[in-house]
Amino acid sequence: MDADKPTGAVHIEHAPPATSHQNRTAPGDVKLFEDDGDVILIPTPTTDPRDPLNLPSWRKIMLVANVSVFAATATLMASSFGAILPTVQQSYPGDSRTNDLVTYPALFIGLGNFIFVPIAHAVGRRPIYLFSLILLVAGCIWCAFSKSLTSHIAGRNIMSLAAGQAEALCPIMVQEVYYLHERGSKIAWFCAAQVLGTATLTVASSYLASNLGWRWWYGIFAIINGACLLMAAFAVPETRFHRLKASLINPDDASGKPGDNEPPAVTARKRPPIDYENYPSRTFSYDVALFHHRPRWQDAINCWKQMVQVILFPDILWLVFCSGMFLGIFVIFGAVFASVLLHPPYNFKPEYLGFVFSGQVVVSMVVVPAQGYLSDYVVKLLSRRNSGIARPEYRLVPLALPFVVGIISTVIFGQACQYPYEWPWSAIVVTFNAEFFGFVGIVVASFTYAMDSYPGRTDAILVVLCFARGVISFGVSYGALDFVHKVGHDGAFNICAIILGVLSAIGIAVFFFGKRIRQWTEPWATDKPKSELTAHV
């Protein structure tokens, strides 16, 4: 039996009589707990051995580990170039275009998401993931042997197209093998591993570039990504699996009443055994196969169409601006900090710049409990208080911490850069990493909120979040150095802090009116004809 073809028909109820906004449910509202406290498994797992949800825990961990290595190295190569930028600038003396080596990758990361994730929707996750690793290795080799700054910039742009898959495709693959009640912690673990790996490798990068040269810096990471590619060829299975639309929520509606003619909910303690008689077993040849079905290009076209629709959802648009602004500010931090620390009164040596990123090790340790487990805990706590009904807005509660940290860090960073003789070097280093914590926190919350709110539009929304934040961050950071020179570090970063403050205030409105937003966007968030939309989503 083809694992990519769902069996049975999707149960669609005709719209009941109109109800008030307060009583009517919305996409993303699901019953997460049975009356006895047992956790309902969402999405509902099938009895097919090839269902990614049925993978053993060790296989899931291997998958997360592999995509985390790819994400860490890809993020390092594309986004953490500031640590070795002074060394690279020595090869292109006096050429102001060296700043393009830092700013353009953010744009091409977004373009990579826009192009490749919809294609992964059509051909599968595995072939696009392996292709991205190949492209990353090729980009590293290109940059290592580049003969001019123009060629170097072009090679980094191509490499960044591949690195974009660390932004959206990797989280999609992670969430496709875990359940709703696990997503917060698992996505946080992925982000933490990515941050920890990037921070560790960035510290090493300044020494590698100073002692071996920046060309060998590219060469070493080409070798590392080549090894990751080899492991992925055997260890990363296809995670896309076509399911009944009803399985993306649960057989019970959000009022807790069983739907008509629906089987009982599948829970952690009441889960049917795997059916090896009616389904083919998961084999080694199946796992290493590049394609598992014929390309469905209409799926890619639908994904691009859905991207245009979902970016107009007020809650998604808000998250896009939040993550784009946080990333843009961090890119500006990365372009500014080195020049400040290398000059008096700090007089850092170039090989010490990598240690600035070591604070991200702390970020990786903090983000899992602060944004992962806390998110899952808040969802479970508030769901129990809401008669077992989980609402996506619960994922936004832990966002208060990233906003507070981000705003304070941005102000202090600007002051320290403007008046270095009045601030210790730690004011720059600590706030640099604290702002990064704010960005990672936004990423974790936006991913989990989007997955919970619009389960039928996860791919499109994650692409929009990653693509649009890349474009926004490029717009924020491109030409930022000239703006900093005009108004000063303190003036520029005070403006950034004010924008973050406005976005945080909008977030309060999203939390309280999120349900109505999801009700309003329901016709574009599901595949049901408008005439057949049900109040029980």
Side-chain angles (χ1 to χ4, degrees):
M1 180 177 179
D2 190 349
D4 296 302
K5 296 180 180 180
T7 58
V10 177
H11 177 73
I12 300 178
E13 299 179 23
H14 291 282
T19 58
S20 69
H21 284 292
Q22 295 298 325
N23 296 326
R24 190 163 67 89
T25 60
D29 289 351
V30 296
K31 185 179 181 185
L32 188 59
F33 292 96
E34 291 280 37
D35 294 337
D36 61 0
D38 197 6
V39 178
I40 297 174
L41 299 181
I42 305 170
T44 305
T46 68
T47 57
D48 189 340
R50 295 181 175 181
D51 186 342
L53 289 173
N54 294 329
L55 285 168
S57 296
W58 66 271
R59 289 292 305 276
K60 295 180 180 182
I61 293 173
M62 286 185 64
L63 182 147
V64 174
N66 191 275
V67 299
S68 297
V69 171
F70 164 74
T73 54
T75 301
L76 168 72
M77 306 301 292
S79 303
S80 298
F81 198 68
I84 69 168
L85 182 60
T87 302
V88 176
Q89 288 174 329
Q90 295 175 9
S91 299
Y92 312 106
D95 196 329
S96 61
R97 291 186 304 151
T98 53
N99 290 325
D100 293 345
L101 295 169
V102 179
T103 57
Y104 270 98
L107 174 63
F108 280 84
I109 286 174
L111 290 174
N113 282 295
F114 181 82
I115 296 170
F116 292 115
V117 174
I119 295 178
H121 204 56
V123 304
R125 320 299 191 199
R126 178 175 162 82
I128 296 302
Y129 178 63
L130 295 179
F131 172 76
S132 298
L133 275 165
I134 294 173
L135 194 62
L136 187 63
V137 173
C140 290
I141 296 174
W142 179 340
C143 292
F145 289 94
S146 60
K147 301 299 182 182
S148 66
L149 178 58
T150 300
S151 176
H152 192 175
I153 294 173
R156 285 188 56 76
N157 292 342
I158 295 300
M159 182 176 63
S160 297
L161 289 174
Q165 311 328 308
E167 301 286 336
L169 182 62
C170 289
I172 289 173
M173 294 170 67
V174 172
Q175 69 96 16
E176 284 177 333
V177 298
Y178 287 104
Y179 299 104
L180 184 148
H181 68 281
E182 303 172 311
R183 286 175 183 166
S185 58
K186 297 306 184 291
I187 293 295
W189 271 111
F190 161 74
C191 291
Q194 177 184 2
V195 171
L196 178 61
T198 301
T200 304
L201 295 174
T202 303
V203 172
S205 293
S206 57
Y207 282 94
L208 289 174
S210 297
N211 293 284
L212 299 179
W214 59 265
R215 295 184 186 277
W216 260 112
W217 180 78
Y218 282 113
I220 289 173
F221 285 105
I223 296 172
I224 293 175
N225 285 296
C228 185
L229 170 64
L230 184 62
M231 291 293 296
F234 298 99
V236 178
E238 177 61 58
T239 61
R240 191 176 187 219
F241 190 82
H242 287 263
R243 304 180 187 281
L244 295 174
K245 295 180 180 67
S247 72
L248 297 177
I249 47 175
N250 54 24
D252 294 355
D253 64 29
S255 65
K257 299 177 182 179
D260 296 337
N261 303 318
E262 291 286 359
V266 177
T267 68
R269 294 199 297 261
K270 295 179 292 186
R271 180 173 176 174
I274 305 299
D275 185 356
Y276 292 98
E277 294 184 3
N278 297 310
Y279 295 95
S281 299
R282 176 180 287 275
T283 62
F284 177 77
S285 59
Y286 175 84
D287 280 345
V288 300
L290 191 58
F291 299 98
H292 291 90
H293 56 73
R294 293 181 179 178
R296 290 185 287 266
W297 296 112
Q298 186 61 44
D299 288 355
I301 295 173
N302 289 339
C303 188
W304 278 309
K305 176 183 176 182
Q306 292 164 7
M307 288 164 57
V308 176
Q309 294 172 335
V310 300
I311 198 172
L312 300 178
F313 292 3
D315 48 354
I316 300 303
L317 187 61
W318 170 70
L319 288 172
V320 163
F321 278 108
C322 288
S323 57
M325 195 64 199
F326 266 94
L327 179 58
I329 293 173
F330 183 70
V331 171
I332 300 175
F333 276 29
V336 167
F337 85 96
S339 61
V340 176
L341 293 179
L342 288 173
H343 292 87
Y346 305 125
N347 296 317
F348 271 45
K349 294 181 178 179
E351 59 265 28
Y352 292 168
L353 292 177
F355 284 105
V356 174
F357 292 82
S358 62
Q360 294 181 10
V361 175
V362 179
V363 172
S364 68
M365 296 177 180
V366 173
V367 74
V368 173
Q371 297 302 123
Y373 287 110
L374 177 61
S375 177
D376 286 345
Y377 173 77
V378 169
V379 169
K380 293 175 184 177
L381 176 65
L382 297 183
S383 297
R384 287 192 175 97
R385 294 183 178 182
N386 191 34
S387 302
I389 307 302
R391 302 203 187 283
E393 286 72 35
Y394 300 159
R395 297 286 189 186
L396 302 180
V397 174
L399 270 184
L401 183 59
F403 269 111
V404 171
V405 170
I407 293 171
I408 294 175
S409 299
T410 302
V411 172
I412 294 177
F413 184 87
Q415 292 292 320
C417 290
Q418 185 68 26
Y419 308 105
Y421 286 92
E422 298 179 11
W423 292 82
W425 60 265
S426 58
I428 295 176
V429 174
V430 172
T431 55
F432 179 87
N433 292 285
E435 203 282 336
F436 184 71
F437 166 78
F439 168 65
V440 176
I442 290 290
V443 169
V444 173
S446 60
F447 282 176
T448 53
Y449 173 82
M451 293 170 185
D452 291 358
S453 297
Y454 307 104
R457 296 292 183 266
T458 295
D459 287 19
I461 292 177
L462 262 62
V463 174
V464 163
L465 287 172
C466 298
F467 167 68
R469 81 166 174 238
V471 174
I472 291 173
S473 67
F474 175 75
V476 171
S477 60
Y478 188 75
L481 294 180
D482 291 336
F483 182 67
V484 169
H485 292 153
K486 290 181 180 179
V487 302
H489 293 88
D490 53 345
F493 287 109
N494 283 343
I495 293 174
C496 291
I498 292 172
I499 295 175
L500 292 181
V502 172
L503 290 173
S504 66
I506 296 174
I508 297 174
V510 173
F511 178 83
F512 286 106
F513 295 99
K515 180 178 179 179
R516 291 193 178 185
I517 292 173
R518 289 182 287 113
Q519 290 171 342
W520 176 71
T521 57
E522 181 178 5
W524 299 275
T526 65
D527 294 321
K528 300 176 185 178
K530 293 183 179 180
S531 61
E532 295 181 336
L533 284 175
T534 172
H536 297 154
V537 182

